[in-house]
Amino acid sequence: MGPVPDPAVSALLDAATTVRLRPVFEGNNISYAIGFKHINYVAEAAVLNHFRLAGLPVGELYRRYGLGLEIVELRSRLGALLAVDDEVEAEVTPATKADAGELTFQVGLFVLRDGQRVKCAGSTVRVLLRIDGHITASEEYPAGLARFAVERLGTGDRRELAVTPRPYGGFTEGRGVTGTSDPVLAQLVGEDNAFGWRWRMPYFYCHFNERVQMSGFLRVMEEAEDLFLADRGLAIKEVLDGRGWIPVVTQSRIRLLDETVMEEELYTVYTIEDIFKSLLYTARMDCYVIRGGALVHTATGTITHGYLTEHAPNQWSMATLDEATIEALSSPKGART
């Protein structure tokens, strides 16, 4: 039997917590609904509050122990609509196994609808504590915390770089490079039903002086989807104006496989995996950097999309994908709307 954990670590591992949160106004892009990225942000905020209530807030973990809190996996299933004015009751339940080296939490997001408690989303959140080289810890770790502290976040798979990278255009290159005109993107996309995007990671997607954080990859996922749809002739504004359709997310997952460093060039490949019953399509996102002359796989994830149709002002229902849309999703040379 090991040493008795510090009370703060015991609270982190054993005590469920509840907090009331509101989504950020930035996430209200269509009608009065909140989008998937900001629903995930609410789950993240609930986990950060759980650490705070246990007595191990993020800032103190960093300042006292030299540990950067890293969400390394965020998996969410989205159900009922989350509205811009909703107050969310977020329940965090610890789910870390006794021998696990990652902290795991189940997060449920609930709102009141006509007096009924409705679950908007459920998430699984996995956390590691990254030992930071920028500072020196001033205190010993609380008992039981060391097993979650790591020198590095994963070691992503390395694959041969079979082409010569094209020099990046610098900070003025805007939203980066898309398509297979870039030789590295051409290698990664190959013959798959996929879309490639290369972009330098900005500091405002990062934290702890160095690394792209989970929220940054949520933004990359959303941006890759936006660029992909435009490339396939399904630009969101055009489809919204022409058909009253808007993409809706039912599930999302992102896992960090390695570290992506501030201002590294991220090669993102967005691959359509499945189109289900003319209602939903699933895409996989894979992110790479070039390091030491090889491609390093730093993140992966999946997202399931459908379309909502506005059949009356502020009234939405699932749309059935027509043949032109399915063809556009199915092939880089598909039909254009």
Side-chain angles (χ1 to χ4, degrees), residues 36 78-79 225 246-251 279-281 303-308 317-319:
F36 94 100
L78 312 179
E225 166 75 6
I246 188 69
V248 62
V249 174
T250 60
Q251 295 184 65
L279 288 173
L280 299 169
Y281 64 95
I303 188 167
T304 300
H305 268 289
Y307 278 95
L308 290 179
S317 57
M318 289 296 295

Side-chain angles (χ1 to χ4, degrees), residues 149-212:
V150 296
E151 295 281 352
R152 184 175 181 83
L153 303 178
T155 53
D157 291 340
R158 296 172 66 89
R159 57 188 290 185
E160 180 185 357
L161 183 58
V163 296
T164 301
R166 178 173 296 163
Y168 196 73
F171 287 104
T172 59
E173 186 139 316
R175 301 306 297 157
V177 177
T178 62
T180 55
S181 60
D182 181 277
V184 177
L185 290 176
Q187 176 187 334
L188 289 168
V189 170
E191 299 299 319
D192 293 339
N193 178 18
F195 171 79
W197 174 38
R198 172 191 181 188
W199 187 45
R200 191 192 302 270
M201 286 290 93
Y203 83 92
F204 45 87
Y205 282 26
C206 304
H207 63 177
F208 300 121
N209 303 341
E210 187 175 50
R211 298 177 298 282
V212 179

Side-chain angles (χ1 to χ4, degrees), residues 216-244:
F217 280 105
L218 283 166
R219 294 167 79 172
V220 168
M221 178 175 270
E222 185 173 56
E223 290 174 85
E225 166 75 6
D226 181 61
L227 291 168
F228 161 78
L229 288 174
D231 183 71
R232 297 296 174 94
L234 297 169
I236 289 175
K237 182 70 164 67
E238 181 181 343
V239 173
L240 180 60
D241 288 347
R243 306 188 194 183

Side-chain angles (χ1 to χ4, degrees), residues 48-94:
L48 297 184
N49 183 72
H50 182 80
F51 274 79
R52 201 171 292 125
L53 292 179
L56 293 168
V58 173
E60 293 296 284
L61 282 169
Y62 189 76
R63 185 180 65 84
R64 296 169 62 185
Y65 309 117
L67 297 173
L69 186 147
E70 298 280 356
I71 293 177
V72 294
E73 185 170 0
L74 179 51
R75 182 191 302 257
S76 296
R77 182 181 293 271
L78 312 179
L81 176 144
L82 180 61
V84 63
D85 295 313
D86 277 334
E87 182 178 55
V88 179
E89 184 180 23
E91 294 183 349
V92 179
T93 304

Side-chain angles (χ1 to χ4, degrees), residues 256-329:
L256 305 191
L257 305 174
D258 204 319
E259 297 175 1
T260 303
V261 177
M262 184 186 301
E263 297 180 4
E264 279 192 309
E265 294 167 27
L266 191 73
Y267 293 82
T268 299
V269 179
Y270 193 83
T271 305
I272 300 301
E273 292 195 315
D274 187 40
I275 300 173
F276 180 71
K277 292 186 176 179
S278 300
L279 288 173
L280 299 169
Y281 64 95
T282 300
R284 188 181 77 249
M285 180 184 79
D286 292 290
C287 298
Y288 302 84
V289 299
I290 297 175
R291 193 175 292 150
L295 282 163
V296 180
H297 199 182
T298 61
T300 190
T302 57
I303 188 167
T304 300
H305 268 289
Y307 278 95
L308 290 179
T309 180
E310 190 172 21
H311 53 79
N314 291 322
Q315 295 183 34
W316 301 81
S317 57
M318 289 296 295
T320 300
L321 304 181
D322 56 30
E323 288 186 11
T325 301
I326 292 173
E327 187 177 355
L329 293 171

